């Protein structure tokens, strides 16, 4: 998840000052409205030690009446807290109706810290995350608003900031041993955080990652999100209903500040015809050999292809399977659910298509339609598609735990390239069957789909089942990258 973020995002000082002034005014009004409506709000900040949480929290509370909020630090439990049940220390700090509690670290940090210090095994951590989910669900069912931020910086930036703090000792504060240790274990800790996200990113309390290299950008993103959520909650209370936040209906500003996965993709990458031909033959031969390895090892493999219309999924699948034994694979093309499908849970039709031992199942579109087409077109309620992130992550984990090798590809093209391909298809009698009115309608909703894709990639790229984004403006480049990724994954599985 975190490695998909664009950490280069930033604001210049003039824009920042203007945006901050505007948002602080809105937040001050919202705090009073929340108080009058009797809504308890919990805001929790997790993240790297030097990622600027203090600056962001300070920016957030500047707009508020200090009589209406409390800031709590929960890095390590004190002696009294250690003698109580784990959640006691947080229950005692929860807000009254109409109040706001802001946690600088909380139940997540302490759970992760126990794993880092090897005081908890995998089973104990899994149980802890399950308990956290139950705790947060209980609060939201009781009308609490829970907002969870993770402030993210790279390992390089982390080390740079710690060194600056060390240099400026006397002006600011001296880094602790824990700060230095966090640098040393950055990568292992990153994996633990990724696992934390996959286990605790829920419909009722979703995570929001904050790109924190530029603290001005981070402050505005946090302010925007808090404003958006509180507005939404107040609307729900006024209407007498309970729903979750709909990021698909956010303002253009909110959309721009939400997770920025696709903005990092370099679509200029190309490959020569000669290199493509030579490598394609080589890769296809190797993949054929590895297919037999899967069969003999009784390892089922699942390959998921998602992407923009005309991104080249069909052509890529054709090259992937070009040299494979057709008795050992099958392709499932996913369309809208049929009459029978609608009588079951939405994942039912995909479970039916899962491969047996040694087989390869390829999905041309998949269960991710729930958080893409069904989200954007309104075929699923917000509660349904937002809940699906967790359901999908859990399903994929179950598949992997049962021995399956799961690979997920998003084929990325830009809007201009899509238009070119649409027009080519429409003008070519041999290809115009590939273009439909639905494709053109979907294109008109590009921005809404892009927001949905960004969130999908962030929320479902887990440690065990990460997404691979394939730069597909150049079809040959994208095909080679895809096949090579599949080869690498199989070789890794067998230690080759």
């Amino acid at each position: 998840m975190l490695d998909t973020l664009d950490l280069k995002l930033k604001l210049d000082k003039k824009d920042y000052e203007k945006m901050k002034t505007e948002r602080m005014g809105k937040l001050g009004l919202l705090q009073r409205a929340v108080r009058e409506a009797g809504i308890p709000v919990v805001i929790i900040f997790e993240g790297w030690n030097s990622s600027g949480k203090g600056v962001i929290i300070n920016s957030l509370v500047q707009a508020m009446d200090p009589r209406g909020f409390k800031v709590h630090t929960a890095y390590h439990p004190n002696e009294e807290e250690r003698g109580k049940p784990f959640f006691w220390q947080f229950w005692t700090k929860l807000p009254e109706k109409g109040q706001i509690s802001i946690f600088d670290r909380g139940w997540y940090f302490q759970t992760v810290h126990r794993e880092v210090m090897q005081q908890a095994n995998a089973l104990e951590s899994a149980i802890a995350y399950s308990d956290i989910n139950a705790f947060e669900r209980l609060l939201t069912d009781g009308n609490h608003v829970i907002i969870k931020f993770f402030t993210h910086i790279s390992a390089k930036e982390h080390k740079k900031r710690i060194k600056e703090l060390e240099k400026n000792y006397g002006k600011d504060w001296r880094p602790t041993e824990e700060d230095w240790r966090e640098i040393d274990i950055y990568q292992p800790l990153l994996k633990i955080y990724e696992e934390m996200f996959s286990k605790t990113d829920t419909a009722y309390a979703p995570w929001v990652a904050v790109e924190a290299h530029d603290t001005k950008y981070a402050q505005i993103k946090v302010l925007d999100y808090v404003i958006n959520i509180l507005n939404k909650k107040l609307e729900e209370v006024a209407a007498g209903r309970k729903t979750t936040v709909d990021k698909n209906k956010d303002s253009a500003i909110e959309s721009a500040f939400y997770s920025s996965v696709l903005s990092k993709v370099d679509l200029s990458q190309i490959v020569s015809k000669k290199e493509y031909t030579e490598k394609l033959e080589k890769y296809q031969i190797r993949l054929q050999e590895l297919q037999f390895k899967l069969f003999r090892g009784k390892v089922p493999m699942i390959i998921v292809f998602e992407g923009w219309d005309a991104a080249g999924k069909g052509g890529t699948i054709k090259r992937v399977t070009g040299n494979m034994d057709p008795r050992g694979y099958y392709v499932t093309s996913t369309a809208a659910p049929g009459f029978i499908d609608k009588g079951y849970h939405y994942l039912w039709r995909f479970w039916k298509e899962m491969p047996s031992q040694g087989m390869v199942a390829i999905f041309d579109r998949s269960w991710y339609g729930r958080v893409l087409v069904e989200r954007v077109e309104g075929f699923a309620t917000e509660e349904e598609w937002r809940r699906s992130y967790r359901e999908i992550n859990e399903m994929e984990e179950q598949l992997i735990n049962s021995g399956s090798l799961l690979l997920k590809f998003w084929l990325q093209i830009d809007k201009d390239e899509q238009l070119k391909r649409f027009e080519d298809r429409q003008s070519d009698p041999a290809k115009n069957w590939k273009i439909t009115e639905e494709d053109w309608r979907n294109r008109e909703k590009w921005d809404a789909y892009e927001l949905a894709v960004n969130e999908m990639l962030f929320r479902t790229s887990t440690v065990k089942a990460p997404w691979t984004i394939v730069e597909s403006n150049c079809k040959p480049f994208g095909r080679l990258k895809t096949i090579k990724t599949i080869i690498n994954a199989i070789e890794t599985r067998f230690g080759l």
Side-chain angles (χ1 to χ4, degrees):
M1 291 181 178
L2 292 174
D3 61 2
T4 62
L5 298 178
D6 184 359
L7 296 176
K8 295 180 181 179
L9 294 171
K10 61 182 180 179
L11 288 173
D12 64 45
K13 186 175 181 180
K14 184 177 180 181
D15 288 342
Y16 160 74
E17 294 291 350
K18 180 180 178 182
M19 296 170 82
K20 183 178 180 181
T21 299
E22 177 188 356
R23 284 149 178 78
M24 287 178 68
K26 290 181 179 179
L27 185 56
L29 293 172
L30 283 171
Q31 184 196 16
R32 290 191 285 277
V34 163
R35 182 185 298 166
E36 292 172 4
I39 301 169
V41 179
V42 176
I43 305 174
I44 183 168
F45 286 86
E46 297 286 352
W48 303 100
N49 284 352
S50 60
S51 57
K53 294 186 296 296
V55 174
I56 297 170
I57 291 172
N58 186 55
S59 175
L60 186 64
V61 302
Q62 283 178 14
M64 298 184 188
D65 184 334
R67 296 169 295 180
F69 72 84
K70 289 183 180 179
V71 177
H72 307 281
T73 57
Y75 278 68
H76 301 289
N78 59 36
E79 185 176 351
E80 181 184 24
E81 291 166 341
R82 285 195 297 270
K84 299 283 188 177
F86 178 72
F87 283 104
W88 177 87
Q89 59 184 301
F90 305 112
W91 274 106
T92 58
K93 298 178 178 67
L94 290 178
E96 299 176 43
K97 291 181 179 180
Q99 294 287 304
I100 300 173
S101 287
I102 301 172
F103 288 86
D104 178 11
R105 305 281 201 183
W107 40 94
Y108 289 101
F109 173 78
Q110 294 189 21
T111 302
V112 168
H113 186 263
R114 290 186 68 237
E115 189 169 349
V116 170
M117 300 302 292
Q118 299 181 337
Q119 295 172 343
N121 57 38
L123 178 59
E124 290 171 330
S125 294
I127 293 172
Y129 289 137
S130 179
D131 289 343
I132 285 172
N133 287 338
F135 174 65
E136 293 178 348
R137 187 185 298 115
L138 182 148
L139 293 180
T140 55
D141 286 348
N143 204 40
H144 286 69
V145 172
I146 298 179
I147 303 174
K148 302 188 302 195
F149 293 110
F150 187 94
T151 51
H152 184 52
I153 55 176
S154 67
K156 182 178 179 181
E157 180 68 13
H158 192 354
K159 188 173 184 178
K160 174 186 171 185
R161 292 187 182 186
I162 294 296
K163 285 184 174 180
E164 288 175 351
L165 289 168
E166 180 78 3
K167 182 180 178 181
N168 294 331
Y169 173 56
K171 272 197 242 178
D172 300 305
W173 53 275
R174 189 182 186 118
T176 65
E177 289 183 9
E178 186 172 292
D179 293 325
W180 289 111
R181 186 168 186 270
E182 193 174 79
I183 295 173
D184 294 334
I185 62 169
Y186 183 96
Q187 290 303 325
L189 187 52
L190 180 63
K191 290 183 179 180
I192 294 174
Y193 279 136
E194 295 281 12
E195 188 73 4
M196 178 188 79
F197 291 139
S198 69
K199 297 295 186 184
T200 61
D201 187 43
T202 61
Y204 47 87
W207 279 103
V208 176
V210 180
E211 303 89 335
H213 272 211
D214 181 68
T215 56
K216 294 189 292 295
Y217 175 89
Q219 290 173 57
I220 298 302
K221 178 167 183 175
V222 167
L223 285 166
D224 269 345
Y225 192 82
V226 172
I227 288 168
N228 184 55
I229 294 296
L230 296 185
N231 265 322
K232 184 71 176 180
K233 183 64 177 180
L234 288 165
E235 290 173 5
E236 293 165 5
V237 170
R241 69 182 191 279
K242 181 182 178 182
T243 60
T244 51
V245 61
D246 183 357
K247 291 190 179 68
N248 191 46
K249 296 178 182 177
D250 288 344
S251 67
I253 292 177
E254 169 66 16
S255 300
F257 279 90
Y258 194 67
S259 183
S260 48
V261 182
L262 295 179
S263 65
K264 293 200 306 179
V265 180
D266 180 8
L267 294 174
S268 66
Q269 300 185 74
I270 61 174
V271 65
S272 69
K273 184 176 182 180
K274 179 181 178 182
E275 182 183 0
Y276 171 66
T277 302
E278 291 174 352
K279 286 189 174 181
L280 180 62
E281 181 180 5
K282 175 185 174 183
Y283 290 172
Q284 287 179 330
I285 292 173
R286 180 55 176 160
L287 189 53
Q288 181 189 49
E289 297 169 351
L290 292 171
Q291 182 192 8
F292 293 130
K293 189 80 172 174
L294 289 170
F295 180 77
R296 290 193 295 269
K298 297 183 179 181
V299 175
M301 183 163 72
I302 303 162
I303 307 175
V304 174
F305 285 96
E306 295 285 353
W308 296 102
D309 293 331
K313 293 181 294 297
T316 301
I317 292 171
K318 185 176 181 179
R319 273 67 179 187
V320 167
T321 60
N323 220 37
M324 291 172 63
D325 187 329
R327 295 170 296 180
Y329 76 86
Y330 55 90
V331 179
T332 297
S333 182
T334 302
F339 176 77
I340 295 177
D341 297 327
K342 290 179 179 179
Y344 293 86
H345 190 281
Y346 75 97
L347 291 174
W348 174 78
R349 59 176 174 149
F350 302 110
W351 272 108
K352 287 198 310 173
E353 302 297 330
M354 294 304 169
S356 57
Q357 291 183 344
M359 292 292 290
V360 179
I362 300 173
F363 288 86
D364 180 359
R365 298 202 185 277
S366 66
W367 42 93
Y368 284 100
R370 185 70 159 191
V371 294
L372 294 176
V373 175
E374 292 186 42
R375 166 184 173 168
V376 174
E377 302 299 335
F379 299 143
T381 67
E382 182 183 355
E383 182 179 0
E384 289 172 336
W385 63 255
R386 189 160 292 289
R387 186 175 66 239
S388 295
Y389 295 124
R390 173 177 52 83
E391 295 169 344
I392 287 170
N393 287 340
E394 290 174 347
M395 180 189 76
E396 292 178 352
E397 183 172 12
Q398 291 167 11
L399 293 171
I400 293 167
N401 288 342
S402 68
S404 296
L405 182 58
L406 174 62
L407 300 174
K408 305 186 298 190
F409 296 95
W410 173 265
L411 274 57
Q412 175 67 6
I413 57 175
D414 61 35
K415 201 171 182 180
D416 291 339
E417 180 64 23
Q418 185 189 63
L419 179 59
K420 178 178 177 296
R421 294 182 187 183
F422 276 14
E423 291 174 342
D424 288 345
R425 288 180 176 185
Q426 204 159 42
S427 61
D428 186 345
K431 293 182 179 180
N432 57 23
W433 62 272
K434 292 184 176 183
I435 186 76
T436 67
E437 287 300 319
E438 184 178 352
D439 294 327
W440 288 106
R441 286 196 301 272
N442 290 344
R443 179 176 166 79
E444 292 176 359
K445 299 179 181 180
W446 179 282
D447 291 344
Y449 273 103
E450 186 172 54
L451 180 62
V453 172
N454 268 320
E455 185 165 7
M456 176 196 77
L457 293 172
F458 174 73
R459 297 203 184 283
T460 61
S461 190
T462 63
V463 173
K464 293 183 178 180
W467 279 97
T468 297
I469 300 177
V470 181
E471 302 85 347
S472 298
N473 265 18
C474 173
K475 290 182 180 180
F477 178 88
R479 292 165 182 170
L480 290 180
K481 177 174 179 176
T482 300
I483 301 174
K484 182 62 174 174
T485 301
I486 297 170
I487 289 171
N488 290 342
I490 300 173
E491 289 179 341
T492 299
R493 177 62 177 268
F494 288 100
L496 302 177

